Amino acid sequence: MDKSNNSKRTILIVDDHPINVDGYQALLANIESNKKAEYLLAFDCKEAYNTISNYRLEEKIIDFAFIDISLPAYEEKKMFSGSDIALLIRKVFPLCKIVIISMHNEPLWVNQIYKGINPEGFIAKSDLNYKCFPEMFQSIEKNEVYFSKSIKWSQKIMIQKNINWDDYDSKILQFIAQGIKTINLPSFIPLSLSAIEKRKANIKKQLILDNGSDKDLIDVAKNLGFI
């Protein structure tokens, strides 16, 4: 939701490192259009979930949300990461502009988060500085999508490799990299074993062009920077 410079807007910041939360708030507060902004601060999934729920009950609106992906979970509500918090915001406050901030910028991971959340902003922490923050925020205010340098690079790699996997494909590769056996993947992904095997075969075809082992697949994926 866009508001005039004289209107009060609400900005949610979620990060498990207080120094980051303070830093983001300070950078945002220096932007002219945020002079009257109200800031909601949360340091884990539980605090974020409760803040979002309370605002919904009070029929208030959250205009912007800055969310770190790696957050302590709130298992009771099945909130395991910043991704889950972002999806909740999409459901509860569909006009809220979401900015994902993360220390990860691996191409496959970026692709998964982008497709799952479709954020208005996506920033690698390694790209953050006091100069880029106002540029990023002002772009998003104008209804533009902003990706930092490392995120753009990751997207370019995915395009160059002509890989167009969905969220399930990404998770299959990531779980295999964690040592999960294919036969056990239906416990982690809501697909049948046969469907998972077909997807896995397609991933192998695109990456190693033969019937190599899982180790071969993961080695190539790591060398390409996909995981």
Side-chain angles (χ1 to χ4, degrees), residues 2 6 8-9 36 65 72 75 83 97-98 106 117 121 125 134 138 167 179 211:
D2 289 328
N6 294 323
K8 185 176 180 180
R9 59 171 47 139
K36 297 182 179 180
E75 296 185 7
S83 295
K97 297 182 184 299
I98 297 175
E106 297 85 353
I117 300 173
K125 286 189 176 181
Q138 288 160 5
D167 186 54
N211 296 319

PDB file of all heavy atoms in Angstrom, residues 2 6 8-9 36 65 72 75 83 97-98 106 117 121 125 134 138 167 179 211:
ATOM      1  N   ASP A   2       0.664   2.109  -1.009  1.00  0.00           N
ATOM      2  CA  ASP A   2       1.451   3.328  -1.078  1.00  0.00           C
ATOM      3  C   ASP A   2       0.764   4.413  -0.265  1.00  0.00           C
ATOM      4  O   ASP A   2      -0.460   4.567  -0.283  1.00  0.00           O
ATOM      5  CB  ASP A   2       1.564   3.790  -2.535  1.00  0.00           C
ATOM      6  CG  ASP A   2       2.457   2.869  -3.337  1.00  0.00           C
ATOM      7  OD1 ASP A   2       3.397   2.321  -2.747  1.00  0.00           O
ATOM      8  OD2 ASP A   2       2.207   2.711  -4.543  1.00  0.00           O
ATOM      9  N   ASN A   6       3.213  12.363   3.930  1.00  0.00           N
ATOM     10  CA  ASN A   6       2.689  12.894   5.178  1.00  0.00           C
ATOM     11  C   ASN A   6       1.892  11.859   5.968  1.00  0.00           C
ATOM     12  O   ASN A   6       1.392  12.152   7.047  1.00  0.00           O
ATOM     13  CB  ASN A   6       1.801  14.115   4.880  1.00  0.00           C
ATOM     14  CG  ASN A   6       2.609  15.276   4.324  1.00  0.00           C
ATOM     15  OD1 ASN A   6       3.730  15.496   4.747  1.00  0.00           O
ATOM     16  ND2 ASN A   6       2.033  16.001   3.374  1.00  0.00           N
ATOM     17  N   LYS A   8       1.270   8.178   7.930  1.00  0.00           N
ATOM     18  CA  LYS A   8       2.013   7.258   8.776  1.00  0.00           C
ATOM     19  C   LYS A   8       1.964   5.859   8.184  1.00  0.00           C
ATOM     20  O   LYS A   8       0.890   5.328   7.914  1.00  0.00           O
ATOM     21  CB  LYS A   8       1.418   7.253  10.184  1.00  0.00           C
ATOM     22  CG  LYS A   8       2.185   6.411  11.183  1.00  0.00           C
ATOM     23  CD  LYS A   8       1.577   6.538  12.555  1.00  0.00           C
ATOM     24  CE  LYS A   8       2.341   5.709  13.575  1.00  0.00           C
ATOM     25  NZ  LYS A   8       1.758   5.811  14.928  1.00  0.00           N
ATOM     26  N   ARG A   9       3.100   5.251   7.976  1.00  0.00           N
ATOM     27  CA  ARG A   9       3.162   3.895   7.451  1.00  0.00           C
ATOM     28  C   ARG A   9       3.755   2.985   8.514  1.00  0.00           C
ATOM     29  O   ARG A   9       4.438   3.430   9.437  1.00  0.00           O
ATOM     30  CB  ARG A   9       4.006   3.856   6.181  1.00  0.00           C
ATOM     31  CG  ARG A   9       5.432   4.341   6.371  1.00  0.00           C
ATOM     32  CD  ARG A   9       6.306   4.088   5.156  1.00  0.00           C
ATOM     33  NE  ARG A   9       5.686   4.480   3.913  1.00  0.00           N
ATOM     34  CZ  ARG A   9       6.326   5.105   2.916  1.00  0.00           C
ATOM     35  NH1 ARG A   9       7.595   5.443   3.080  1.00  0.00           N
ATOM     36  NH2 ARG A   9       5.731   5.403   1.800  1.00  0.00           N
ATOM     37  N   LYS A  36       7.607   9.628   9.659  1.00  0.00           N
ATOM     38  CA  LYS A  36       6.517   9.387  10.598  1.00  0.00           C
ATOM     39  C   LYS A  36       6.165   7.905  10.709  1.00  0.00           C
ATOM     40  O   LYS A  36       5.104   7.550  11.232  1.00  0.00           O
ATOM     41  CB  LYS A  36       5.279  10.179  10.179  1.00  0.00           C
ATOM     42  CG  LYS A  36       5.472  11.687  10.205  1.00  0.00           C
ATOM     43  CD  LYS A  36       4.179  12.396   9.825  1.00  0.00           C
ATOM     44  CE  LYS A  36       4.363  13.910   9.868  1.00  0.00           C
ATOM     45  NZ  LYS A  36       3.098  14.620   9.497  1.00  0.00           N
ATOM     46  N   ALA A  65       7.588  -4.989   4.896  1.00  0.00           N
ATOM     47  CA  ALA A  65       8.150  -6.006   5.793  1.00  0.00           C
ATOM     48  C   ALA A  65       9.549  -6.377   5.311  1.00  0.00           C
ATOM     49  O   ALA A  65       9.729  -6.744   4.148  1.00  0.00           O
ATOM     50  CB  ALA A  65       7.261  -7.247   5.826  1.00  0.00           C
ATOM     51  N   PRO A  72      14.741 -18.305  14.270  1.00  0.00           N
ATOM     52  CA  PRO A  72      14.304 -19.351  15.192  1.00  0.00           C
ATOM     53  C   PRO A  72      12.835 -19.677  14.944  1.00  0.00           C
ATOM     54  O   PRO A  72      12.009 -18.785  14.774  1.00  0.00           O
ATOM     55  CB  PRO A  72      14.514 -18.709  16.571  1.00  0.00           C
ATOM     56  CG  PRO A  72      15.604 -17.703  16.354  1.00  0.00           C
ATOM     57  CD  PRO A  72      15.341 -17.150  14.976  1.00  0.00           C
ATOM     58  N   GLU A  75       7.391 -23.633  16.207  1.00  0.00           N
ATOM     59  CA  GLU A  75       6.892 -24.925  15.756  1.00  0.00           C
ATOM     60  C   GLU A  75       5.399 -25.103  16.010  1.00  0.00           C
ATOM     61  O   GLU A  75       4.701 -25.761  15.229  1.00  0.00           O
ATOM     62  CB  GLU A  75       7.690 -26.043  16.421  1.00  0.00           C
ATOM     63  CG  GLU A  75       9.155 -26.052  16.014  1.00  0.00           C
ATOM     64  CD  GLU A  75       9.915 -27.236  16.575  1.00  0.00           C
ATOM     65  OE1 GLU A  75       9.274 -28.120  17.176  1.00  0.00           O
ATOM     66  OE2 GLU A  75      11.154 -27.285  16.400  1.00  0.00           O
ATOM     67  N   SER A  83      10.693 -17.510   5.404  1.00  0.00           N
ATOM     68  CA  SER A  83       9.833 -17.815   4.251  1.00  0.00           C
ATOM     69  C   SER A  83       8.389 -18.009   4.692  1.00  0.00           C
ATOM     70  O   SER A  83       7.450 -17.517   4.049  1.00  0.00           O
ATOM     71  CB  SER A  83      10.328 -19.076   3.533  1.00  0.00           C
ATOM     72  OG  SER A  83      11.592 -18.870   2.959  1.00  0.00           O
ATOM     73  N   LYS A  97       4.490  -4.745   0.943  1.00  0.00           N
ATOM     74  CA  LYS A  97       5.679  -4.943   0.117  1.00  0.00           C
ATOM     75  C   LYS A  97       6.730  -5.679   0.956  1.00  0.00           C
ATOM     76  O   LYS A  97       7.141  -5.192   2.004  1.00  0.00           O
ATOM     77  CB  LYS A  97       6.212  -3.606  -0.389  1.00  0.00           C
ATOM     78  CG  LYS A  97       5.221  -2.876  -1.302  1.00  0.00           C
ATOM     79  CD  LYS A  97       5.798  -1.580  -1.825  1.00  0.00           C
ATOM     80  CE  LYS A  97       4.781  -0.795  -2.648  1.00  0.00           C
ATOM     81  NZ  LYS A  97       4.321  -1.514  -3.838  1.00  0.00           N
ATOM     82  N   ILE A  98       7.148  -6.824   0.468  1.00  0.00           N
ATOM     83  CA  ILE A  98       8.045  -7.705   1.217  1.00  0.00           C
ATOM     84  C   ILE A  98       9.463  -7.625   0.659  1.00  0.00           C
ATOM     85  O   ILE A  98       9.679  -7.741  -0.553  1.00  0.00           O
ATOM     86  CB  ILE A  98       7.544  -9.160   1.163  1.00  0.00           C
ATOM     87  CG1 ILE A  98       6.172  -9.269   1.846  1.00  0.00           C
ATOM     88  CG2 ILE A  98       8.545 -10.100   1.816  1.00  0.00           C
ATOM     89  CD1 ILE A  98       5.540 -10.640   1.728  1.00  0.00           C
ATOM     90  N   GLU A 106      23.064 -18.468  -3.045  1.00  0.00           N
ATOM     91  CA  GLU A 106      23.265 -19.554  -3.991  1.00  0.00           C
ATOM     92  C   GLU A 106      22.126 -19.545  -5.017  1.00  0.00           C
ATOM     93  O   GLU A 106      20.967 -19.386  -4.666  1.00  0.00           O
ATOM     94  CB  GLU A 106      23.302 -20.901  -3.279  1.00  0.00           C
ATOM     95  CG  GLU A 106      24.445 -21.057  -2.288  1.00  0.00           C
ATOM     96  CD  GLU A 106      24.130 -20.496  -0.909  1.00  0.00           C
ATOM     97  OE1 GLU A 106      23.066 -19.871  -0.761  1.00  0.00           O
ATOM     98  OE2 GLU A 106      24.947 -20.681   0.008  1.00  0.00           O
ATOM     99  N   ILE A 117       7.925 -16.869  -2.877  1.00  0.00           N
ATOM    100  CA  ILE A 117       7.430 -15.661  -2.206  1.00  0.00           C
ATOM    101  C   ILE A 117       7.145 -14.524  -3.173  1.00  0.00           C
ATOM    102  O   ILE A 117       6.255 -13.719  -2.958  1.00  0.00           O
ATOM    103  CB  ILE A 117       8.465 -15.198  -1.148  1.00  0.00           C
ATOM    104  CG1 ILE A 117       8.671 -16.308  -0.107  1.00  0.00           C
ATOM    105  CG2 ILE A 117       8.021 -13.903  -0.475  1.00  0.00           C
ATOM    106  CD1 ILE A 117       9.783 -16.031   0.868  1.00  0.00           C
ATOM    107  N   GLY A 121      11.439  -7.027  -2.962  1.00  0.00           N
ATOM    108  CA  GLY A 121      12.871  -6.787  -2.825  1.00  0.00           C
ATOM    109  C   GLY A 121      13.575  -8.035  -2.343  1.00  0.00           C
ATOM    110  O   GLY A 121      13.017  -8.811  -1.563  1.00  0.00           O
ATOM    111  N   LYS A 125      22.868 -10.119   2.230  1.00  0.00           N
ATOM    112  CA  LYS A 125      23.467  -9.305   3.290  1.00  0.00           C
ATOM    113  C   LYS A 125      24.855  -8.804   2.900  1.00  0.00           C
ATOM    114  O   LYS A 125      25.276  -7.727   3.336  1.00  0.00           O
ATOM    115  CB  LYS A 125      23.524 -10.106   4.588  1.00  0.00           C
ATOM    116  CG  LYS A 125      22.175 -10.277   5.261  1.00  0.00           C
ATOM    117  CD  LYS A 125      22.285 -10.888   6.641  1.00  0.00           C
ATOM    118  CE  LYS A 125      20.926 -10.955   7.327  1.00  0.00           C
ATOM    119  NZ  LYS A 125      20.982 -11.523   8.693  1.00  0.00           N
ATOM    120  N   PRO A 134      18.694   3.227   0.846  1.00  0.00           N
ATOM    121  CA  PRO A 134      17.712   4.208   0.366  1.00  0.00           C
ATOM    122  C   PRO A 134      17.312   3.959  -1.092  1.00  0.00           C
ATOM    123  O   PRO A 134      16.139   4.091  -1.450  1.00  0.00           O
ATOM    124  CB  PRO A 134      18.444   5.547   0.511  1.00  0.00           C
ATOM    125  CG  PRO A 134      19.472   5.295   1.555  1.00  0.00           C
ATOM    126  CD  PRO A 134      19.913   3.871   1.343  1.00  0.00           C
ATOM    127  N   GLN A 138      13.419   3.255  -2.076  1.00  0.00           N
ATOM    128  CA  GLN A 138      12.735   4.192  -2.961  1.00  0.00           C
ATOM    129  C   GLN A 138      12.267   3.518  -4.246  1.00  0.00           C
ATOM    130  O   GLN A 138      11.213   3.869  -4.796  1.00  0.00           O
ATOM    131  CB  GLN A 138      13.638   5.385  -3.243  1.00  0.00           C
ATOM    132  CG  GLN A 138      13.788   6.290  -2.019  1.00  0.00           C
ATOM    133  CD  GLN A 138      15.004   7.187  -2.063  1.00  0.00           C
ATOM    134  OE1 GLN A 138      15.726   7.233  -3.054  1.00  0.00           O
ATOM    135  NE2 GLN A 138      15.236   7.921  -0.978  1.00  0.00           N
ATOM    136  N   ASP A 167       9.598 -25.297  -6.938  1.00  0.00           N
ATOM    137  CA  ASP A 167      10.013 -25.414  -5.542  1.00  0.00           C
ATOM    138  C   ASP A 167      10.303 -26.861  -5.156  1.00  0.00           C
ATOM    139  O   ASP A 167      11.253 -27.144  -4.425  1.00  0.00           O
ATOM    140  CB  ASP A 167       8.926 -24.841  -4.637  1.00  0.00           C
ATOM    141  CG  ASP A 167       9.344 -24.796  -3.179  1.00  0.00           C
ATOM    142  OD1 ASP A 167      10.404 -24.222  -2.889  1.00  0.00           O
ATOM    143  OD2 ASP A 167       8.605 -25.323  -2.338  1.00  0.00           O
ATOM    144  N   GLY A 179      21.846 -35.594   2.575  1.00  0.00           N
ATOM    145  CA  GLY A 179      22.010 -37.011   2.876  1.00  0.00           C
ATOM    146  C   GLY A 179      20.716 -37.796   2.981  1.00  0.00           C
ATOM    147  O   GLY A 179      20.737 -38.979   3.358  1.00  0.00           O
ATOM    148  N   ASN A 211      23.427 -41.080 -16.251  1.00  0.00           N
ATOM    149  CA  ASN A 211      22.855 -41.718 -15.064  1.00  0.00           C
ATOM    150  C   ASN A 211      23.866 -41.812 -13.938  1.00  0.00           C
ATOM    151  O   ASN A 211      24.093 -42.878 -13.374  1.00  0.00           O
ATOM    152  CB  ASN A 211      22.319 -43.114 -15.432  1.00  0.00           C
ATOM    153  CG  ASN A 211      21.177 -43.049 -16.413  1.00  0.00           C
ATOM    154  OD1 ASN A 211      20.314 -42.189 -16.305  1.00  0.00           O
ATOM    155  ND2 ASN A 211      21.177 -43.939 -17.389  1.00  0.00           N
TER     156      ASN A 211
END
